[in-house]
Amino acid sequence: MTPLSLYIHLPWCIRKCPYCDFNSHEVRDEVPEDRYVDALIADLESELPRVWGRRIESVFLGGGTPSLFSPEALDRLFSALRARLPWRPDMEVTLEANPGTTDAQRFRGYREAGVNRLSIGIQSFDDGQLRRLGRIHGANEAREAFAAARSAGFDNINLDLMFGLPEQSVQSALGDLAQALALGPEHLSWYQLTLEPNTRFAAEPPILPEEDTVWDMQETGQGRLAEGGYTQYEVSAYARPDRECRHNLNYWRFGDYLGLGAGAHGKISLPGEERILRRWKLRQPRQYMEAALTGDAASGECTLTREELVFEFVLNATRLTRGVDTKLFTARTGLDPDALEPMRRRAIESGLLHDDSARMAPTATGRRFLNDLQALFLADPRGTP
């Protein structure tokens, strides 16, 4: 059976960042956490027939700013989830948290509730950049949040950090990275700022560094991360040994995941029906809560076609530095390996994919030009891959 993870979306934040294209909503009065937790539990109830008896391998609470929810609310939610689906004994439970919304006591409460991994949204240690990015915290608050998490007993922490920020120099980007490394997190998500559609930055673009400057940031930074003992195992993910994010690895290996919460997406294999189903939930929190509490909060669903299965598998697998075992393609999609040909052969001939029948892994060139590699596996408009 394909591994099953659980993604829970908590959509509220104090302030919407100008670069953010996630389904997040500014808090007007206070977070309706009791009603929302009730809705999440009801949402799971409606999904149970599709996943009944399957074990949850990991849980990830994303947002928004999940750390706006109290430890008591999460404890109630986790108790309800465990009562309905078995959890892996040593399961990874990740909570996204932002500096300015947490303290040591709150972190201790999250640990007691069952959270054992934190992902703290730092983005930069430059106060000027943090203001440009619309963040509610400063550099000192970021360092204090990390220290508070450590004092609460967390020994598995990810830091989110960006580079390629408005008018940023290579020296400034590497300075941010050096400060993150000095804290000694187990995991770093270090990625380039991009201007996404339907964001304030897309409507009012800031001045970003030149492409060659950004490449210098990335190439030099990757060397610093390697020197610091962090292995790049995915496009923007770096970890110390055995500290890779299990939840995200399940995505990239085309595992299943159940999506609960406003705007959450899910992918579920239905072996008895020989199909893979995608479902997504209503985006507006108020509509989502009303629908979940009275029936089904789904906004839509579809069965993945053969062409979509091929492309989505490759889209995820090629993000991993080492790629995946070729046998995983059939195990996860139900398709014969021949479905990857001749696109795979073109990728090999283009120098973007290693010529290895046992493993699908991008070359160094393929990692640099990942979009070009993935595009080779898109369906032809005439209906054939």
Side-chain angles (χ1 to χ4, degrees):
M1 182 65 72
T2 301
L4 176 66
S5 291
L6 178 59
Y7 175 76
I8 302 170
H9 193 73
L10 307 178
W12 287 280
C13 56
I14 292 176
R15 183 193 301 158
K16 181 83 170 180
C17 297
Y19 58 84
C20 178
D21 68 337
F22 295 151
N23 184 37
S24 58
H25 305 263
E26 293 186 3
V27 177
R28 294 183 179 178
D29 298 310
E30 60 181 29
V31 175
E33 64 176 24
D34 287 338
R35 182 172 171 80
Y36 195 73
V37 168
D38 288 341
L40 290 171
I41 296 169
D43 193 0
L44 176 62
E45 291 279 1
S46 70
E47 294 280 8
L48 279 179
R50 300 175 189 86
V51 297
W52 188 253
R54 293 179 64 179
R55 185 177 73 171
I56 300 295
E57 300 292 324
S58 66
V59 175
F60 195 104
L61 294 95
T65 304
S67 51
L68 290 176
F69 277 66
S70 69
E72 293 76 19
L74 298 191
D75 185 50
R76 182 165 76 89
L77 173 62
F78 292 160
S79 295
L81 297 177
R82 289 192 194 95
R84 289 161 176 79
L85 285 173
W87 287 28
R88 173 175 168 161
D90 61 342
M91 189 164 66
E92 173 190 275
V93 181
T94 303
L95 174 76
E96 289 185 340
N98 283 343
T101 64
T102 53
D103 54 33
Q105 181 177 353
R106 202 169 179 86
F107 279 136
R108 281 193 290 271
Y110 292 139
R111 272 199 64 78
E112 291 170 2
V115 176
N116 54 28
R117 182 177 184 272
L118 290 176
S119 181
I120 303 178
I122 301 294
Q123 314 312 354
S124 175
F125 288 94
D126 182 311
D127 285 333
Q129 290 289 7
L130 289 169
R131 285 191 292 272
R132 291 187 188 97
L133 296 174
R135 305 296 289 174
I136 65 169
H137 68 272
N140 285 336
E141 287 176 297
R143 286 185 281 267
E144 289 168 359
F146 185 88
R150 282 288 196 236
S151 70
F154 281 97
D155 61 358
N156 195 1
I157 301 176
N158 169 67
L159 294 184
D160 260 8
L161 197 67
M162 289 182 174
F163 65 91
L165 303 179
E167 302 182 61
Q168 189 178 41
S169 66
V170 174
Q171 183 179 7
S172 174
L174 296 178
D176 271 350
L177 185 57
Q179 292 190 65
L181 290 171
L183 293 176
E186 286 67 37
H187 191 286
L188 270 162
S189 296
W190 190 57
Y191 53 96
Q192 181 183 349
L193 170 66
T194 55
L195 305 185
E196 301 293 345
N198 303 315
T199 63
R200 183 149 57 86
F201 270 3
E204 304 169 11
I207 299 173
L208 298 181
E210 296 290 334
E211 186 175 328
D212 287 346
T213 301
V214 173
W215 175 246
D216 286 344
M217 293 175 186
Q218 182 173 333
E219 190 172 41
T220 309
Q222 287 172 341
R224 302 280 173 87
L225 283 156
E227 291 168 4
Y230 294 84
T231 299
Q232 182 184 16
Y233 67 99
E234 189 266 347
V235 171
S236 58
Y238 304 78
R240 287 180 167 171
D242 300 319
R243 293 296 189 162
E244 296 87 354
C245 178
R246 294 186 207 163
H247 185 88
N248 287 342
L249 280 173
N250 190 45
Y251 289 148
W252 298 322
R253 290 169 177 161
F254 211 53
D256 283 350
Y257 51 97
L258 194 60
L260 304 180
H265 284 237
K267 166 195 166 284
I268 301 296
S269 300
L270 302 172
E273 302 176 24
E274 296 185 349
R275 66 188 182 114
I276 295 177
L277 181 70
R278 282 206 179 278
R279 281 170 58 84
W280 52 96
K281 306 300 169 62
L282 292 163
R283 289 177 58 84
Q284 290 297 323
R286 185 183 299 276
Q287 294 177 0
Y288 165 80
M289 287 187 286
E290 291 175 356
L293 291 168
T294 57
D296 189 350
S299 176
E301 67 176 45
C302 68
T303 297
L304 293 179
T305 66
R306 175 183 181 276
E307 292 76 18
E308 288 169 337
L309 286 170
V310 170
F311 179 66
E312 290 196 20
F313 180 89
V314 172
L315 185 72
N316 286 281
T318 53
R319 290 184 63 90
L320 292 170
T321 304
R322 295 189 62 252
V324 297
D325 189 315
T326 306
K327 294 177 182 177
L328 196 66
F329 175 73
T330 298
R332 295 287 192 264
T333 67
L335 300 175
D336 189 274
D338 289 345
L340 290 169
E341 305 291 345
M343 302 89 77
R344 180 175 169 276
R345 180 51 50 187
R346 286 201 299 267
I348 292 170
E349 292 169 354
S350 300
L352 302 176
L353 203 66
H354 284 293
D355 190 358
D356 183 349
S357 60
R359 193 160 196 84
M360 174 174 280
T363 62
T365 303
R367 292 198 299 273
R368 183 173 181 182
F369 299 100
L370 187 58
N371 288 343
D372 295 328
L373 167 58
Q374 293 168 341
L376 293 175
F377 291 83
L378 275 170
D380 187 286
R382 292 168 295 183
T384 57

